[in-house]
Amino acid sequence: MGSGVESNEESENKGSMWSLDQKLDQPMDEEAGWLRNMHKEKKLSSLLLLRLAYQSLGVVYGDLGTSPLYVFYNTFPNGVKDQEDVIGALSLIIYSLTLVPLLKYVFIVLRANDNGQGGTLALYSLLCRHANIKTIPNQHRTDEELTTYSRSTIHEKSFADKTKRWLEGKGYIKNTILILVLVGTCMMIGDGILTPAISVLSASGGIKVNHPDLSGDVVLVVAVVILVGLFSMQHYGADRVGWLFAPVVLLWFLLIGGIGIFNLWKHGSNVLRAFSPVYIFRYFKRGGKESWTSLGGILLCITGTEALFADLGHFPVLSVQIAFTLVVFPCLLLAYSGQAAYLMNNMDHSPDVFYRSIPVSAETIYWPVFAVATAAAIVASQATITATFSIIKQALAHGCFPRVKVVHTSKKFLGQIYIPDINWILMVLCIAVTAGFKEQNQIGNAYGTAVVMVFLVTTLLMVLIMILVWRCHWILVLVFTGLSLIVECTYFTAVLFKLDQGGWAPIVIAAAFLIVMYVWHYGTKKRYEFEMHSKISMAWILGLGPSLGLVRVPGIGLVYTELASGVPHIFSHFITNLPAIHSVVVFVCVKYLPVYTVPEEERFLVKRIGPKNFHMFRCVARYGYKDLHKKDDDFEKKLLHNLFIFVRLEAMMEGGSDSDEYSLYEQQTEQSKDGVLNNRNIDSPNLDLTLTSLDSIVSIRSPSPRSSKIEVEELEYLNNCKDAGVVHILGNTVVRASRDSTFYKKIGVDYIYAFLSKICREHSVILNVPHESVLNVGQVFYI
């Protein structure tokens, strides 16, 4: 009985403390409502669509377009034994291009983009907005009011609603989806290593065709030199030479299409029988296992399709579809048909059929094609490397990759970034693959393994997209899944036969990256859970009084935390061990949301914590996975700018007798700028305020004299504290595995996670905080 009474009293005390916390540290629903701003989707003209379709050639289709350099060599590495095999292989190429890039990706998967962003992590972000499957639960309902937080409504008791509840109900399902996404992401990183290797090596092989006496080592050295130059130029960004990409790739497609037409005219159009699927059946019936394993080479004709989705960028889906249907698809069909026609009469030329099928009556034709082929291979490699940087940036935003430095390389385009650490890792691995395998055949086997696994991951994620986001009928979902898995599983079984011939390489690379990403995400999740369970109650803060039991020194202290609500445990650790605290304390939470970007005017949410004389605030800085932190002075200025705006807005709301006397609406006017920002008797020359989030606020009546006086006094106090200095207080949390942890957990936490934490960039570097303004507070916790 006694224990029952104690538990009841304890629950009542907890309930009262919870009520106090909720009253003094409320969610930011109202503040988020102030920032709501609807954007209208712009309609594109036909001329602009064609222009964007032309530009998309250089960014999206470079990888897919260079496949004719090496497909037939990897399909028939030992030469062609029967002419019917050429027709059968061409038939497989035609229907592979039709089913996977054309039907599946261009017309279905591209529609699943996240506001123009593609890739497995973009699909994951889209799913996280429609179902609570994110393993780090740092989202709040105010985040759903962002203009970029688009999602469709799921009706109760529908198939989508049942699927949603099933996904949200089991923790292991969330973890499984995350691992699936990470596998696809790691394979795409492997793609970023293998694409430059096979594209540049295949293009460089043209030297040996015209000079047969040259050894293969010369071709290898040329390829390595090109790769070193390519990766060394990454820090300049693609913006300076990006204007060359589209004309180079367009010229490339016109060349391979024209060469294909020439070979069909010269060697006969008998190969066009391959448009009949009957020859696929005959190909497998005649060749047996050998024909089945050759699928690993035919698979290379659709490599670059996965990069097509990852490189989508800001191009409208319609422009990408136009480029594929009008230029890419017909030129690829002509190129492969022309090579097949040439092979029908030259069956022993499969290792270098592309260069041998070029009209060589004059060297004036051969060498320009070689130059364009090399340029196209470089463009394809550049697009894949850029896509890898973008993928790593998305993984950083999801807490799935150690902190690395991200450099913005373009003032015009947000998505063009450069990650130095990743760039050099990619270069070393790419050169190792090129020099280690030497033969295109083995690199092709490795490339095919990576690509087909990305296909499978995309298909499984698309099933959830079709159910939760598009709310398709289950029959359509079944048809899409069935057709996709039949094609992709067929290719997957073929690449399994070539694991010992280079197919193991992407698996090893992906496994290494997967361990790094999953262990880092696990440590990040446990750190967040620790902060959530150990946060301080407002009752404890109030018990300390306005001085917080310390000396309040002039200045503003920015306490960084992962919590968007509540006072972090690190703050109690700070005030327990130090005798003083700043006059103004702002708890800053920098968090990433499953959206591609957060508009600048909606980025900061500010809220007061506790009574006014405590001078404590909370600021949540929200970013999308494509957003970048600006320089610290810019971030700090914007944060303080929004803090001043909040104080003024708070005084306005409290100054009237009723909150309905103020109108908040989405219209930018000079009246709001003058009435709210400029009509204030306060001199703040150092602040340099500019109107951002207050553009939508218009005062209907002036605040009362009393509230205006209080506002002026607090703004003067804040301005004086700002002039005294701003200090950034960062937590240096060390994660350790508890004694009763399993062996694998101790290895993962105490060794792998600890090693990654030491070699990765510090929080102050990522946030661009100057060292002279940083105060680190250390703590250790066990999981």
Side-chain angles (χ1 to χ4, degrees), residues 72-104:
F72 276 111
Y73 168 59
N74 285 273
T75 304
F76 304 111
N78 300 318
V80 181
K81 297 178 181 178
D82 193 329
Q83 289 185 340
E84 291 295 314
D85 290 342
V86 176
I87 297 178
L90 178 61
S91 186
L92 280 167
I93 290 171
I94 291 171
Y95 284 98
S96 295
L97 284 171
T98 303
L99 291 174
V100 180
L102 181 64
L103 296 181
K104 179 186 174 182

Side-chain angles (χ1 to χ4, degrees), residues 123-394:
L123 292 178
Y124 182 65
S125 297
L126 197 58
L127 288 173
C128 287
R129 297 206 299 271
H130 289 79
N132 185 20
I133 60 173
K134 197 174 180 182
T135 54
I136 302 178
N138 64 344
Q139 286 182 234
H140 190 265
R141 59 179 177 271
T142 56
D143 300 330
E144 300 175 7
E145 298 179 1
L146 287 169
T147 55
T148 52
Y149 200 99
S150 58
R151 65 174 183 176
S152 55
T153 304
I154 298 178
H155 301 289
E156 291 187 8
K157 297 183 179 180
S158 62
F159 183 57
D161 183 57
K162 293 177 181 177
T163 305
K164 178 176 178 289
R165 283 188 277 119
W166 177 71
L167 292 174
E168 296 175 345
K170 304 291 184 182
Y172 72 89
I173 296 177
K174 298 179 182 180
N175 207 37
T176 302
I177 294 175
L178 176 65
I179 293 175
L180 184 68
V181 170
L182 293 183
V183 168
T185 303
C186 294
M187 285 297 174
M188 274 301 302
I189 295 173
D191 196 9
I193 296 169
L194 295 169
T195 298
I198 192 169
S199 298
V200 173
L201 186 60
S202 300
S204 303
I207 301 176
K208 193 176 179 181
V209 174
N210 212 34
H211 295 81
D213 54 323
L214 289 177
S215 67
D217 292 336
V218 175
V219 176
L220 182 63
V221 170
V222 171
V224 170
V225 169
I226 293 175
L227 289 173
V228 171
L230 175 64
F231 282 100
S232 299
M233 298 293 289
Q234 290 301 311
H235 66 281
Y236 291 110
D239 188 31
R240 299 185 181 182
V241 294
W243 60 275
L244 277 173
F245 288 0
V248 166
V249 176
L250 177 60
L251 179 60
W252 168 252
F253 277 117
L254 294 178
L255 276 175
I256 63 175
I259 293 171
I261 293 174
F262 170 81
N263 283 296
L264 286 171
W265 169 77
K266 182 178 181 180
H267 299 285
S269 59
N270 191 35
V271 292
L272 297 182
R273 292 179 296 160
F275 279 88
S276 172
V278 174
Y279 290 94
I280 296 177
F281 173 75
R282 293 180 180 176
Y283 180 70
F284 288 126
K285 183 179 179 180
R286 183 174 53 257
K289 182 181 177 181
E290 186 177 352
S291 297
W292 192 267
T293 55
S294 69
L295 285 174
I298 294 172
L299 169 65
L300 299 180
C301 74
I302 52 178
T303 55
T305 306
E306 75 293 345
L308 178 155
F309 184 45
D311 288 330
L312 186 58
H314 290 293
F315 293 107
V317 172
L318 185 56
S319 66
V320 178
Q321 292 172 336
I322 291 173
F324 188 83
T325 52
L326 295 184
V327 178
V328 179
F329 188 62
C331 288
L332 286 177
L333 290 183
L334 287 171
Y336 288 118
S337 299
Q339 290 185 24
Y342 178 85
L343 277 179
M344 292 283 283
N345 298 327
N346 303 275
M347 292 190 294
D348 57 335
H349 288 178
S350 61
D352 39 32
V353 60
F354 172 77
Y355 282 108
R356 288 186 178 275
S357 64
I358 297 173
V360 290
S361 57
E363 291 194 359
T364 53
I365 300 175
Y366 179 87
W367 287 111
V369 173
F370 171 78
V372 175
T374 305
I378 292 173
V379 170
S381 304
Q382 175 63 55
T384 311
I385 294 168
T386 304
T388 305
F389 291 157
S390 179
I391 288 169
I392 296 294
K393 177 67 176 64
Q394 293 180 25

Side-chain angles (χ1 to χ4, degrees), residues 20-31:
L20 182 64
D21 286 354
Q22 292 298 305
K23 184 176 180 180
L24 297 177
D25 187 16
Q26 298 176 0
M28 298 181 172
D29 300 71
E30 186 177 3
E31 288 76 8

Side-chain angles (χ1 to χ4, degrees), residues 630-645:
K630 303 299 182 183
K631 291 296 182 182
D632 177 66
D633 54 353
D634 189 41
F635 175 79
E636 183 181 298
K637 183 172 66 175
K638 289 182 178 179
L639 189 151
L640 296 176
H641 165 63
N642 281 271
L643 178 61
F644 275 70
I645 285 180

Side-chain angles (χ1 to χ4, degrees), residues 50-123:
L50 290 176
R51 180 183 173 187
L52 291 172
Y54 162 72
Q55 292 177 349
S56 70
L57 288 172
V59 177
V60 177
Y61 292 113
D63 192 4
L64 187 64
T66 53
S67 296
L69 286 169
Y70 43 77
V71 168
F72 276 111
Y73 168 59
N74 285 273
T75 304
F76 304 111
N78 300 318
V80 181
K81 297 178 181 178
D82 193 329
Q83 289 185 340
E84 291 295 314
D85 290 342
V86 176
I87 297 178
L90 178 61
S91 186
L92 280 167
I93 290 171
I94 291 171
Y95 284 98
S96 295
L97 284 171
T98 303
L99 291 174
V100 180
L102 181 64
L103 296 181
K104 179 186 174 182
Y105 272 84
V106 172
F107 288 107
I108 298 178
V109 175
L110 288 188
R111 292 183 58 240
N113 68 87
D114 184 17
N115 291 91
Q117 307 306 310
T120 52
L121 282 168
L123 292 178

Side-chain angles (χ1 to χ4, degrees), residues 380-445:
S381 304
Q382 175 63 55
T384 311
I385 294 168
T386 304
T388 305
F389 291 157
S390 179
I391 288 169
I392 296 294
K393 177 67 176 64
Q394 293 180 25
L396 280 169
H398 284 86
C400 296
F401 203 86
R403 296 181 298 271
V404 291
K405 184 178 181 181
V406 179
V407 180
H408 198 74
T409 60
S410 174
K411 295 180 179 179
K412 297 179 181 178
F413 304 103
L414 179 66
Q416 293 187 4
I417 58 175
Y418 166 67
I419 305 179
D421 305 327
I422 301 300
N423 181 68
W424 303 123
I425 292 174
L426 290 179
M427 187 188 76
V428 171
L429 292 176
C430 186
I431 293 175
V433 168
T434 306
F437 286 136
K438 296 183 181 180
E439 296 292 335
Q440 294 180 31
N441 189 27
Q442 290 183 322
I443 300 177
N445 295 337

